[in-house]
Amino acid sequence: MSIAQPALRLQGPDADGIATLWIDCPGKKVNTLSLDMMPEFAAMYATIAANTAIRGLVVASGKDTGFIAGADLDDLGQVDSASKAERLSLDAQEGMAKLAGLKIPTVAAIHGEALGGGLELALACRARVASEHRKTKMALPEVMLGLLPGAGGTVRLPKLIGLTAALDMMLTGRNIRAAKALKLGLVDRTVPQLQLFDAARALCLDLAHGKVAPKPKTPVKGQVQNFLLEGNLLGKKLVLHEARKKVLKQTKGVYPAPLRILDVIDKGTYEAEAKGFGELLMSPQSAGLRHLFTAITALKKDDGPQTGSVAARQVTRVGMLGAGLMGAGIATVLADNGVEVRLKDRDHASIGKALDYARTVYGKARRKRVYNQAGVDERLGRISGGTDWAGIGRAEVLIEAVFEDLSLKQRLLAEFEALSRVDGIFATNTSALPISEIAQHAKHPERVIGMHFFSPVEKMPLVEIIVTDKTSPEVTATTVAVARKMGKHVIVVKDCAGFYTTRALVPYMAEAIFMALDGYSLLDIDEAATKVGFPVGPITLTDEVGIDVGVKVLKTIRKYYGERLQLPPDISSKLLEEGRFGRKNNKGFYKYSNGKSELDKDGKKIIDDTVYRHLPGGKGSKHADFAEMGDRLVLGLVNEAALCLQEGILRDPYAGDLGAVMGIGFPPFEGGPFRYVDRFGARTIVDRLRKLEGKFGKRFAPCTLLVDLAANNGKFYA
Ligand code: NAI
């Protein structure tokens, strides 16, 4: 029988009466709060309370990796009823109350991540000191998992930093770094990492001697308005009312967690918090979001070649061919992560624009105090460029992002092979062209790979790596490592036209055009998508990506899939003829001026009505049937995703789920197309597809994998 190792260790008290509670979960890289730790915490607090020699307590992590990264999600996955989940929250609250109820001063020493339950534990201490290290981040990210903070956070945080700031943290889940935390009053002091423990101890001692002056009650500059609003009941109601309006606008009401957070804060009790937590944990939205988290964890183990024995090559220098929208974004993120980038474009103007792009992105980070001006300069210093190949031959990897043109990409690959170092990798960012065709005439097809980024690169979290039959395992491992170094999630897929993400997106985008041709209004089409949970609708997305770019992708898909992927009649030539390219040239389906959307008096985007002359159905003549429209948009995508798994383009459903949510905006709370099938059951999905097939044609014919799964009553995830 093995004896469970304790996660808590009490050190001291020292000569001044200060003891330290070290948290160090055995066998784990980072601390997480698990159910089996609860009795240990309770016993520990009882021991501390009983020891009269202890005059103050510092709570610190025994791990260099961080403070506490939150609750153990596996535990939450085991809970099968709202009442049990509520009990869990009540127990956690009780543990925190014991810490908060200690008669001695308590100070949390925070370095690294203090997230969710980790931050709630720190909030239950009397004071907090944080290290100024870049890795130090505090957040209540429960909302991103469809939950609310269930260990007292919804009650303690507003009391500590005020309602407005607390709402912002809880409704966005955003990370707060040390400097901002100090400004908000979330922590009492910030110090360099090396001084953290001593500073926490010193503060604890001061508190024990009653020395520390209470926090100023007068609100600091800029917070006066919030103070006035929050200082009374009416003001609180007003703040909550405005927040609710904003949440509803942003989420269309499809996410229950943020609305529930507002209800719970309104009530302001621990009971309301526990009840809310219990119900949210049972919601399908939370299950979907937690599934994504599991997918992320599972995919981190995929090193690319999946052999476990191939090491990635060290990459310190990347060549970037094409400094347009994508090239600029990719270079910016590479340099941000310590990689030297040499840009090559046809003209100097494009290089200049790319540098401006990087400057803007880094400037924003500086204003958010992620780094200072020296940090900006250091990053910009890593990017250089020109119109010739100078400096590119030395790069370990060349990423290509020139126009979407097969022969151009092939020609540039040949030029690169002629000058590159012996083992240089050519990674193409094509949106849909098969990588094997780009590599068709290559001398070294084993060094050619797809590296598909999404726009805007600095914001989109995914890279899709596309491997051909000839790509070498070392090249795959190296490219995956570069994408991870850029802070991206990675899926590795097999080569074909459109790979996974573009192929799955095409039926969704194409269906939008089918619906427009049917006579649905463009606004209704976008609304049908956002109602089911896509962050933006397909018409908006086309304007953002560029109508010309979309047309090129559709051409490629038409070429390779012919009749199989049924596409709407081509209306694009008329759109392009009249110079309608989307937001980038202020002329798309929607109205723009200076690159910004024109809005009506309700703040809604306005359709450019002149586009309806190309749509036989006219100006939205058809009454919206949102349920059917939603199904048309979702199910074509789901079916194509399943076909990609059936054909072995996808390695597993996890990659399909993560790729769809992070690459193309599949509703995150559904957890991805494969989990969507599991949630409703393959049989129901097949029935719904057949119904659409009967009405709209064979583009909705369910693929064999789905039909078989339905017949066997099977699931993608056990
Ligand atoms: P872009 O038109 O903004 O940029 C292309 C750049 O390539 C331009 O700066 C152009 O001057 C340069 N270029 C053209 N010929 C060149 C040559 N011979 N030598 C050097 N530079 C040359 O296009 P964007 O949007 O950046 O797309 C680039 C690639 O990325 C395309 O293959 C596209 O399909 C793909 N892609 C685009 C996405 C998007 O959202 N725009 C998303 C994912 C992939």
Side-chain angles (χ1 to χ4, degrees):
M1 195 181 81
S2 68
I3 299 170
Q5 292 221 355
L8 306 179
R9 183 169 62 84
L10 188 66
Q11 183 188 354
D14 60 20
D16 291 318
I18 305 297
T20 305
L21 173 59
W22 294 102
I23 305 174
D24 192 350
C25 297
K28 285 187 184 170
K29 239 165 89 182
V30 294
N31 285 326
T32 52
L33 297 175
S34 59
L35 285 180
D36 53 10
M37 285 165 76
M38 286 205 192
E40 213 186 324
F41 270 113
M44 183 58 80
Y45 297 143
T47 306
I48 293 165
N51 188 342
T52 50
I54 301 180
R55 302 182 59 202
L57 182 74
V58 172
V59 181
S61 166
K63 295 198 191 291
D64 292 338
T65 48
F67 189 65
I68 303 172
D72 193 321
L73 285 187
D74 289 342
D75 281 352
L76 298 184
Q78 307 296 321
V79 182
D80 59 6
S81 76
S83 58
K84 283 185 198 161
E86 184 180 343
R87 184 69 257 160
L88 200 77
S89 168
L90 289 169
D91 289 347
Q93 288 172 354
E94 201 183 309
M96 299 301 175
K98 283 193 177 126
L99 173 60
L102 289 173
K103 299 278 181 286
I104 49 168
T106 48
V107 178
I110 303 170
H111 166 69
E113 291 182 334
L115 309 180
L119 182 59
E120 288 177 293
L121 189 123
L123 289 173
C125 293
R126 195 165 321 160
R128 286 144 294 279
V129 179
S131 88
E132 288 157 358
H133 198 280
R134 202 182 153 182
K135 281 193 178 151
T136 295
K137 292 171 195 158
M138 286 150 269
L140 291 178
E142 288 81 355
V143 72
M144 298 200 242
L145 298 172
L147 298 170
L148 53 76
T154 64
V155 180
R156 288 200 179 91
L157 189 66
K159 281 188 188 149
L160 185 68
I161 64 170
L163 182 59
T164 308
L167 278 179
D168 179 63
M169 277 184 74
M170 284 190 255
L171 294 176
T172 63
R174 88 171 87 244
N175 284 326
I176 306 288
R177 290 169 196 274
K180 179 82 189 286
L182 186 64
K183 230 173 151 183
L184 289 174
L186 182 59
V187 300
D188 302 76
R189 278 177 203 174
T190 63
V191 290
Q193 187 196 347
L194 280 176
Q195 295 164 20
L196 178 65
F197 183 77
D198 289 344
R201 190 186 166 282
L203 177 60
C204 195
L205 196 60
D206 282 354
L207 287 168
H209 291 150
K211 263 193 202 157
V212 175
K215 281 196 196 135
K217 284 263 184 320
T218 17
V220 286
K221 201 173 58 171
Q223 291 177 342
V224 176
Q225 192 192 352
N226 291 343
F227 175 76
L228 290 175
L229 275 174
E230 294 169 13
N232 61 75
L233 198 64
L234 204 70
K236 178 178 170 183
K237 291 272 180 213
L238 191 68
V239 172
L240 290 174
H241 177 73
E242 287 304 312
R244 178 173 299 272
K245 265 195 352 209
K246 197 168 154 196
V247 166
L248 282 172
K249 190 171 169 215
Q250 281 172 352
T251 66
K252 313 272 173 209
V254 291
Y255 287 85
L259 295 171
R260 192 62 187 250
I261 289 173
L262 292 170
D263 288 343
V264 165
I265 292 185
D266 193 11
K267 292 204 175 76
T269 65
Y270 290 109
E271 293 75 24
E273 179 185 276
K275 199 161 177 26
F277 180 84
E279 286 174 15
L280 286 177
L281 188 66
M282 288 302 112
S283 68
Q285 290 88 345
S286 173
L289 292 166
R290 281 180 286 124
H291 167 79
L292 274 185
F293 198 83
T294 312
I296 289 172
T297 313
L299 288 166
K300 275 189 185 149
K301 294 185 188 122
D302 186 348
D303 61 348
Q306 289 187 307
T307 58
S309 58
V310 182
R313 251 183 266 157
Q314 185 79 5
V315 173
T316 55
R317 193 177 169 89
V318 167
M320 185 71 240
L321 198 52
L325 177 73
M326 296 305 288
I330 297 166
T332 299
V333 179
L334 280 166
D336 189 23
N337 289 284
V339 180
E340 301 277 330
V341 187
R342 177 73 188 180
L343 292 163
K344 169 173 158 48
D345 203 293
R346 297 179 303 178
D347 48 63
H348 288 288
S350 304
I351 308 271
K353 270 200 228 155
L355 282 166
D356 285 345
Y357 188 95
R359 206 169 280 123
T360 307
V361 172
Y362 301 151
K364 275 187 196 153
R366 179 180 54 76
R367 281 193 294 282
K368 283 191 192 157
R369 297 180 183 227
V370 181
Y371 39 78
N372 54 17
Q373 186 57 41
V376 174
D377 296 341
E378 188 190 348
R379 285 164 177 79
L380 284 172
R382 292 192 189 113
I383 310 179
S384 63
T387 53
D388 54 21
W389 287 98
I392 290 197
R394 280 192 293 128
E396 293 95 352
V397 178
L398 176 73
I399 302 178
E400 172 277 309
V402 298
F403 301 137
E404 185 77 347
D405 174 333
L406 180 62
S407 56
L408 174 65
K409 288 181 193 283
Q410 286 174 336
R411 176 166 69 74
L412 291 170
L413 167 57
E415 285 181 33
F416 174 66
E417 284 194 323
L419 66 91
S420 121
R421 38 186 279 164
V422 286
D423 52 1
I425 295 172
F426 186 91
T428 168
N429 179 47
T430 171
S431 332
L433 295 166
I435 312 304
S436 50
E437 290 213 11
I438 294 175
Q440 201 177 5
H441 311 296
K443 276 194 278 181
H444 295 289
E446 73 279 7
R447 294 186 207 153
V448 182
I449 194 162
M451 200 175 185
H452 184 204
F453 289 86
F454 299 81
S455 171
V457 181
E458 68 282 6
K459 290 207 180 115
M460 294 293 281
L462 187 77
V463 175
E464 183 179 26
I465 302 284
I466 306 116
V467 178
T468 74
D469 290 345
K470 300 201 171 125
T471 309
S472 85
E474 195 198 15
V475 166
T476 308
T478 305
T479 315
V480 167
V482 170
R484 294 229 166 97
K485 191 169 184 177
M486 295 170 79
K488 302 296 180 190
H489 298 296
V490 176
I491 61 169
V492 183
V493 305
K494 216 170 87 173
D495 185 33
C496 68
F499 352 109
Y500 167 59
T501 53
T502 303
R503 254 179 80 171
L505 186 65
V506 163
Y508 169 80
M509 302 293 259
E511 204 54 34
I513 302 300
F514 273 121
M515 290 196 281
L517 292 169
D518 285 352
Y520 284 116
S521 98
L522 298 173
L523 276 178
D524 284 347
I525 296 169
D526 267 356
E527 192 169 343
T530 52
K531 264 187 193 304
V532 292
F534 282 89
V536 295
I539 304 295
T540 298
L541 187 62
T542 309
D543 269 1
E544 295 296 324
V545 171
I547 297 177
D548 53 330
V549 175
V551 168
K552 273 195 182 153
V553 169
L554 286 185
K555 264 197 188 136
T556 305
I557 295 295
R558 227 182 266 277
K559 176 174 162 198
Y560 290 93
Y561 295 97
E563 277 300 289
R564 213 274 293 147
L565 252 170
Q566 232 184 1
L567 297 173
D570 188 8
I571 54 161
S572 58
S573 44
K574 290 181 213 151
L575 300 178
L576 298 182
E577 260 166 37
E578 61 183 21
R580 205 181 284 272
F581 294 118
R583 181 201 284 276
K584 62 184 164 194
N585 75 333
N586 294 311
K587 197 167 164 68
F589 290 107
Y590 284 95
K591 283 189 171 177
Y592 303 94
S593 55
N594 295 328
K596 295 223 160 68
S597 301
E598 287 186 18
L599 303 176
D600 67 12
K601 60 180 178 1
D602 298 325
K604 288 198 170 140
K605 294 184 2 168
I606 306 167
I607 292 289
D608 175 3
D609 279 348
T610 58
V611 76
Y612 281 112
R613 62 174 171 244
H614 305 301
L615 301 169
K619 193 188 162 188
S621 55
K622 212 168 152 95
H623 182 69
D625 172 352
F626 285 120
E628 185 186 87
M629 293 167 83
D631 256 17
R632 287 173 72 173
L633 289 170
V634 171
L635 291 180
L637 190 166
V638 168
N639 197 28
E640 193 63 27
L643 190 61
C644 285
L645 185 64
Q646 179 182 315
E647 292 175 1
I649 302 302
L650 284 170
R651 284 179 174 173
D652 57 32
Y654 278 133
D657 279 345
L658 197 72
V661 172
M662 301 217 160
I664 58 182
F666 192 85
F669 61 81
E670 294 291 5
F674 294 96
R675 194 184 164 280
Y676 184 86
V677 173
D678 278 4
R679 166 149 108 91
F680 292 97
R683 200 171 287 172
T684 309
I685 297 296
V686 166
D687 287 348
R688 276 162 63 189
L689 274 164
R690 289 244 156 89
K691 199 169 147 206
L692 292 177
E693 185 188 0
K695 202 163 166 187
F696 301 105
K698 71 180 173 67
R699 66 181 185 273
F700 286 109
C703 69
T704 316
L705 182 65
L706 281 179
V707 173
D708 289 350
L709 204 67
N712 302 324
N713 231 344
K715 279 180 179 290
F716 286 114
Y717 298 99

